[in-house]
Amino acid sequence: MPVPMRAALWFTIAGVTLKAVATITTPIFTRLMSTEQFGLVSVYNSWLQVLAVATTLRLSAAVFNKGMSKFPQGREAFTVTMQTITTVLVLLLGVLYLAFNTWANSVTGLSTLITVALLAELLMTPAVTFWAQRERYDFNYRSVVTVTLVVSVGAAILGVAAVLAAEDKATARILAGSVVQVAVGAVLYARNLKRAGTPFVPEYARFAIGFNAPLIPHYLSMYALDQLDRIMIARLIGLSAAGVYSVGYTVGLAIRVATDSLSSALIPWQYRRLEEGHLSTVERRLTQVLVFYSMLVLVFVSMAPEFVAILGGREYAGAAHVVPPVAVATFFIFVYTVLGNVEIYYDSNSMMVYGSVVAASANIALNLLFIPQFGYVAAGYTTLVCYAGLALAHLVYARQVVAAHSGGGRVISVRTFLGLSAALLGLSAALMAAYPYPLIRLGTIMVLGAALYVKRDAIRGLLAREVQ
């Protein structure tokens, strides 16, 4: 197996393992903690993700790969420069918190102790991300997989021990995870500095900030679209409802580990093929991946009641109806992500900014309208609608961008997108109607499994070699 494909496979395995560890421990936490306590942990994680955009400027995303390509002789210095920028931003946020901590606590619903843990994570975890992105660029998958396993397993073990020993279980769970993240982050923070030999290169900082600054509204909007539903549910209904919704969202979003891993692994491959002008190769590969991914989504939808029962138990049974819209939404997330990579390659970022801002704004408005009327399940469907619209907008825009820069061609056909979207929505609705009939859903999974078995050689070929 070529090194790029081997690295892609192992990065996917590492991502799946990370999600698997979180999934395995979720039933423990849901049974040791009340729905309100579990909701508080979910709200903490949501704030962590949203504030991470402001303090990291998402410098580990597309601009990092651009920097690796633009400054091949200064990759270590580029990495540590990104790290230094985030450090300064987190320290500024810390100063603001000291000045307005009472107001900030009332807005977030988090205590001072929990907020300090949040700031510590924001300070150190970017070092892990930048280091991992640097290793990924050269396909050094062994070290990344090892650190991923250490962090995920360590946080899980310490988290369970802390919850068992503490009375304030929500705070114990949050602090345990923070300790592991900060400890590993501190080690890699120092390692990045040592490898670079300098903490900051102004040229790299100007390039990165200049490239990413126009994209900040996009990144903030995407995290708002992904995280604010739990925060809004907690505000509009209560922490208990946020906890139940979080279990369903976790099950539905579990498949996104494949989205993120595949997208990260495909970026170098996409860029090389676009450089060579092999658009037909990109389209064939992405079509194969989308079909395979659609089948995985249907498996998650069909097994939603069982997954929720395992993860949460009776208190969380209603979360099963959150899984289908969220799982199908990950299909649209993958579509707009791979299309966004193409747009970034051609330096055409406007849709990433405007599309995501509109989608996030629409999601907030729809949540405010429908959550009070239909409860927390409505948030899953508003998320689906907004992601579907965003994917469609990117499909139209990317088609125009590719045509303008290559004289023709495409990366995903409209027919493929609409056909798979309609099939996913229709089959998901049918599977939801079959939730009271487990034998029907089991039969569906057997059919999907048989299809994968029949196409096993094609799948093996997809993993083993690049499409020529």
Side-chain angles (χ1 to χ4, degrees):
M1 186 181 292
V3 172
M5 295 308 298
R6 191 188 316 151
L9 177 61
W10 276 104
F11 288 142
T12 302
I13 291 173
V16 170
T17 303
L18 178 64
K19 182 60 67 175
V21 171
T23 303
I24 290 170
T25 55
T26 296
I28 300 174
F29 293 126
T30 54
R31 286 161 175 80
L32 292 176
M33 303 164 66
S34 66
T35 54
E36 184 174 352
Q37 290 171 332
F38 194 79
L40 178 59
V41 176
S42 300
V43 169
Y44 169 84
N45 289 327
S46 295
W47 278 115
L48 180 65
Q49 296 299 321
V50 171
L51 291 175
V53 180
T55 56
T56 67
L57 303 180
R58 289 287 286 153
L59 295 174
S60 62
V63 69
F64 194 90
N65 288 307
K66 271 282 191 178
M68 294 293 99
S69 175
K70 185 177 179 66
F71 307 109
Q73 305 304 317
R75 289 172 179 166
E76 309 302 340
F78 185 87
T79 301
V80 83
T81 298
M82 302 303 99
Q83 178 177 286
T84 300
I85 293 172
T86 62
T87 298
V88 172
L89 292 174
V90 173
L91 292 176
L92 289 174
L93 180 63
V95 171
L96 288 174
Y97 178 70
L98 289 175
F100 305 101
N101 64 307
T102 302
W103 173 81
N105 289 351
S106 66
V107 170
T108 62
L110 306 176
S111 67
T112 299
L113 177 61
I114 291 177
T115 304
V116 170
L118 185 149
L119 291 171
E121 282 201 60
L122 290 174
L123 183 65
M124 288 301 172
T125 52
V128 181
T129 305
F130 290 129
W131 169 83
Q133 288 294 84
R134 174 68 186 91
E135 297 297 295
R136 280 176 182 268
Y137 194 83
D138 288 335
F139 306 113
N140 296 327
Y141 57 88
R142 291 183 178 87
S143 56
V144 177
V145 171
T146 300
V147 170
T148 299
L149 292 176
V150 168
V151 172
S152 59
V153 175
I157 293 174
L158 188 59
V160 171
V163 170
L164 285 170
E167 291 185 9
D168 187 350
K169 298 184 183 301
T171 300
R173 173 71 183 95
I174 291 168
L175 295 181
S178 180
V179 165
V180 175
Q181 294 283 355
V182 171
V184 175
V187 172
L188 292 177
Y189 192 105
R191 179 183 176 86
N192 291 342
L193 280 171
K194 183 178 180 180
R195 288 170 66 175
T198 178
F200 187 76
V201 177
E203 179 187 0
Y204 299 164
R206 286 193 296 269
F207 163 76
I209 294 175
F211 184 95
N212 252 34
L215 294 174
I216 295 303
H218 159 70
Y219 291 130
L220 280 172
S221 298
M222 294 317 301
Y223 274 94
L225 186 58
D226 193 34
Q227 301 292 334
L228 281 185
D229 49 4
R230 276 156 285 189
I231 295 174
M232 294 182 72
I233 290 170
R235 287 286 184 178
L236 295 172
I237 304 178
L239 283 174
S240 181
V244 175
Y245 176 83
S246 182
V247 169
Y249 195 86
T250 298
V251 173
L253 211 63
I255 195 174
R256 189 172 173 181
V257 66
T259 306
D260 297 338
S261 299
L262 283 171
S263 176
S264 297
L266 282 171
I267 289 175
W269 182 85
Q270 276 185 282
Y271 280 14
R272 288 183 175 92
R273 288 295 172 266
L274 291 173
E275 288 172 1
E276 298 164 359
H278 293 167
L279 287 171
S280 60
T281 300
V282 175
E283 183 183 0
R284 287 198 300 271
R285 169 58 58 85
L286 292 181
T287 299
Q288 292 171 328
V289 172
L290 286 174
V291 171
F292 178 69
Y293 188 81
S294 300
M295 297 175 74
L296 291 179
V297 170
L298 291 175
V299 171
F300 271 75
V301 172
S302 65
M303 295 297 292
E306 287 72 24
F307 287 150
V308 169
I310 293 171
L311 291 184
R314 292 183 179 179
E315 286 185 283
Y316 297 85
H321 295 283
V322 176
V323 176
V326 174
V328 175
T330 66
F331 169 81
F332 296 111
I333 292 172
F334 182 73
V335 170
Y336 87 71
T337 300
V338 295
L339 291 173
N341 293 336
V342 174
E343 294 163 15
I344 288 173
Y345 173 82
Y346 288 118
D347 294 320
S348 302
N349 303 334
S350 59
M351 179 53 68
M352 295 189 69
V353 177
Y354 300 126
S356 57
V357 169
V358 171
S361 301
N363 184 247
I364 293 172
L366 291 173
N367 280 342
L368 287 172
L369 179 63
F370 291 113
I371 288 176
Q373 294 186 51
F374 301 102
Y376 60 82
V377 176
Y381 287 94
T382 61
T383 298
L384 170 59
V385 169
C386 293
Y387 276 129
L390 186 60
L392 181 60
H394 274 284
L395 183 68
V396 174
Y397 182 70
R399 191 182 183 89
Q400 297 173 352
V401 169
V402 171
H405 287 85
S406 66
R410 63 197 181 193
V411 291
I412 297 176
S413 74
V414 175
R415 180 180 298 179
T416 297
F417 173 78
L418 294 179
L420 287 175
S421 299
L424 267 179
L425 292 170
L427 290 173
S428 295
L431 288 169
M432 286 183 65
Y435 277 174
Y437 312 102
L439 289 180
I440 295 177
R441 293 185 283 111
L442 179 60
T444 302
I445 294 175
M446 292 177 66
V447 170
L448 292 174
L452 292 175
Y453 179 77
V454 170
K455 294 294 184 180
R456 64 190 182 281
D457 291 334
I459 295 171
R460 188 182 300 116
L462 178 65
L463 293 174
R465 62 182 175 81
E466 295 183 346
V467 177
Q468 299 302 319

